[in-house]
Amino acid sequence: MGDFIIEGGRALRGSLQVQGAKNSVLPILAATILHNGTSTLHNCPRLRDVDASMRILRHLGCRAEWEGDALVVDAASLTRCDVPDHLMREMRSSVIFLGAVLSRCGRSELSMPGGCELGPRPIDLHLSSLRQLGAVIREGGGRLHCEAPEMRGRELTLSLPSVGATENAILAACGCEGTTVIFNAAREPEIADLQTFLCAMGHKVQGAGSSTITVEGRSPTHDVEHTVIPDRIVAATYLAAVAGSGGEVELRGVDYRQLSTVTAALHEAGCQIHSTGNAIWLRSTGDLRAIRPVRTAPYPGFPTDAQAVLMAALLRSKGATVFVENIFENRYRHVDELCRMGADIRVEGRVAVVCGVERLRGAAVEATDLRGGAAMVVAALSAEGESRISAVHHIQRGYADILGDLRQLGARAREE
């Protein structure tokens, strides 16, 4: 795997179709296990994390193959209920298979998940919910041994609106006797997309998008086709790239309502933005101004996944912008790398202050995680000279073809 080489200082112009959502397709791939048959997914992005999920499905005995632009999973031949350590370590969201395998098999064995190092992200909320539904879970040696001989629906209240815990509870509840009601559920659009998929399969799930979700368990299922929603974080990344570099872009196939906090911040910074139907149009001179404090929060608040790319867009803004990270403790790992390009960022705990500089310069930097790596791409596009970004496997976990998309907008970007 090579490095990304990006030559900055060029305005970006053009139109892009936004890829399918990584954070939507991964729980949906886990959910395909719930049906003893075939699921066909359209608008599924070709990502490293998707490849990892396909390897897990194949290990479990399923057939998971690309057929043209569609990803087809046949779970009729599922024969195993364990996921080995080397597959679990590839991505944090691999834990989502726990609820699905329990629903289908009544037992599961897997190790603790891997993924980006963003500080503590305990899965205790996942395990607590599954235990309340009747699962018996033993932890030891870095592995989880789970059995669920009699899972029954009940009322669950999450102490935090965790996306992953909400999804795991939904998938487990599909295999329960009776009705499960999940209170304080996460409200992200990706959970609503999971509900759409499950309902198309035959399950009875209601309320996704609100804080209360109801699941009626053990419904008969059938083969299903589903189109994955567009990736709002990829859209936010490209909007940030054009905002910081200057230019004009139209993003097609994206729900502007899901990006309202991001577009509001970019508008405040000086960008012109219009939304029509399923498209967002943005124009920027590249001369931005500082904005009011940005505080990450669960949806519909400002998304933590967009914090780094917005920060990168504002590196040359006039004034100082305060960022407060309320979701993950270690989400500023990209700051030191951005400072290698000449950024002026001061961090204390969960607070980062971005003081705009007159210019950025190209530099050799390393992607620290998925969204931090995307931030380096955004910064490189507005820097003078050439930047080399290494460890790009992090970026490729969430962006199907970020360099190809940027070249469509006129960027000089390549991999070598």
Side-chain angles (χ1 to χ4, degrees):
M1 182 176 299
D3 298 341
F4 286 176
I5 310 299
I6 297 175
E7 182 180 330
R10 297 170 62 88
L12 304 177
R13 302 184 186 279
S15 178
L16 287 175
Q17 182 76 26
V18 177
Q19 70 180 57
K22 164 187 176 286
N23 291 336
S24 184
V25 72
L26 298 182
I28 288 175
L29 283 172
T32 62
I33 294 172
L34 301 180
H35 171 52
N36 185 23
T38 301
S39 303
T40 303
L41 304 181
H42 302 283
N43 198 36
C44 183
R46 294 178 181 254
L47 304 171
R48 289 175 60 89
D49 278 9
V50 170
D51 291 339
S53 293
M54 293 172 68
R55 287 192 289 274
I56 291 175
L57 288 168
R58 290 166 183 157
H59 172 82
L60 294 171
C62 305
R63 182 178 71 88
E65 305 291 346
W66 291 99
E67 294 185 4
D69 292 332
L71 178 51
V72 178
V73 178
D74 185 351
S77 57
L78 186 142
T79 55
R80 304 179 66 116
C81 59
D82 68 298
V83 181
D85 182 70
H86 71 277
L87 291 178
M88 288 295 296
R89 286 182 179 272
E90 292 191 32
M91 60 177 184
R92 171 67 56 170
S93 54
S94 55
V95 73
I96 199 65
F97 280 90
L98 179 55
V101 174
L102 277 175
S103 282
R104 174 75 181 269
C105 303
R107 61 191 181 94
S108 178
E109 181 178 337
L110 43 79
S111 63
M112 295 296 185
C116 292
E117 295 299 328
L118 301 176
R121 289 194 282 178
I123 62 170
D124 57 309
L125 286 178
H126 301 243
L127 304 185
S128 173
S129 297
L130 299 181
R131 284 177 169 130
Q132 290 181 69
L133 293 174
V136 178
I137 303 175
R138 294 180 292 108
E139 303 176 52
R143 294 191 66 78
L144 301 171
H145 305 267
C146 314
E147 293 188 4
E150 293 185 22
M151 293 183 70
R152 294 187 177 277
R154 57 163 296 167
E155 293 185 353
L156 302 175
T157 300
L158 301 179
S159 59
L160 296 170
S162 161
V163 174
T166 300
E167 292 166 342
N168 242 332
I170 291 172
L171 296 178
C174 287
C176 291
E177 289 283 359
T179 300
T180 299
V181 182
I182 306 167
F183 296 106
N184 199 30
R187 300 166 58 187
E188 272 70 6
E190 293 79 14
I191 294 175
D193 199 28
L194 174 61
Q195 172 180 285
T196 300
F197 172 78
L198 290 171
C199 289
M201 182 187 281
H203 291 286
K204 297 178 180 179
V205 185
Q206 295 180 324
S210 74
S211 58
T212 303
I213 297 175
T214 303
V215 183
E216 295 183 29
R218 301 201 176 178
S219 301
T221 60
H222 48 76
D223 289 357
V224 60
E225 290 199 29
H226 177 75
T227 299
V228 178
I229 63 173
D231 195 310
R232 59 194 172 100
I233 306 303
V234 169
T237 301
Y238 295 152
L239 292 174
V242 177
S245 302
E248 184 176 336
V249 68
E250 179 192 44
L251 299 182
R252 306 186 309 275
V254 59
D255 188 338
Y256 69 92
R257 295 168 296 183
Q258 298 174 1
L259 283 164
S260 60
T261 55
V262 176
T263 55
L266 293 173
H267 182 265
E268 184 181 348
C271 299
Q272 298 179 49
I273 302 177
H274 299 294
S275 304
T276 55
N278 64 343
I280 298 176
W281 173 89
L282 178 145
R283 176 184 291 165
S284 171
T285 63
D287 296 320
L288 303 181
R289 56 181 175 264
I291 62 177
R292 289 171 291 182
V294 178
R295 295 179 172 87
T296 64
Y299 189 86
F302 191 92
T304 181
D305 281 351
Q307 171 255 107
V309 295
L310 178 61
M311 179 183 290
L314 294 174
L315 295 179
R316 296 189 301 116
S317 61
K318 294 179 176 63
T321 300
V322 175
F323 287 81
V324 183
E325 174 55 55
N326 293 311
I327 307 299
F328 295 126
E329 291 183 11
N330 198 17
R331 197 113 209 205
Y332 292 135
R333 298 178 67 215
H334 54 282
V335 165
D336 287 344
E337 299 299 305
L338 293 178
C339 289
R340 293 171 65 91
M341 296 182 178
D344 183 356
I345 310 171
R346 304 161 195 181
V347 176
E348 184 170 343
R350 292 181 178 267
V351 178
V353 180
V354 177
C355 301
V357 297
E358 185 175 346
R359 61 177 57 88
L360 300 172
R361 59 184 179 274
V365 295
E366 180 179 347
T368 54
D369 55 73
L370 169 54
R371 305 307 174 186
M376 290 166 212
V377 171
V378 172
L381 289 166
S382 63
E384 297 176 359
E386 187 176 273
S387 295
R388 176 182 289 268
I389 305 172
S390 60
V392 299
H393 61 279
H394 289 299
I395 302 172
Q396 292 169 332
R397 287 185 46 236
Y399 297 83
D401 187 14
I402 191 170
L403 295 188
D405 287 343
L406 293 172
R407 285 194 292 266
Q408 283 191 53
L409 300 180
R412 292 182 178 173
R414 68 185 189 277
E415 184 174 359
E416 68 174 32

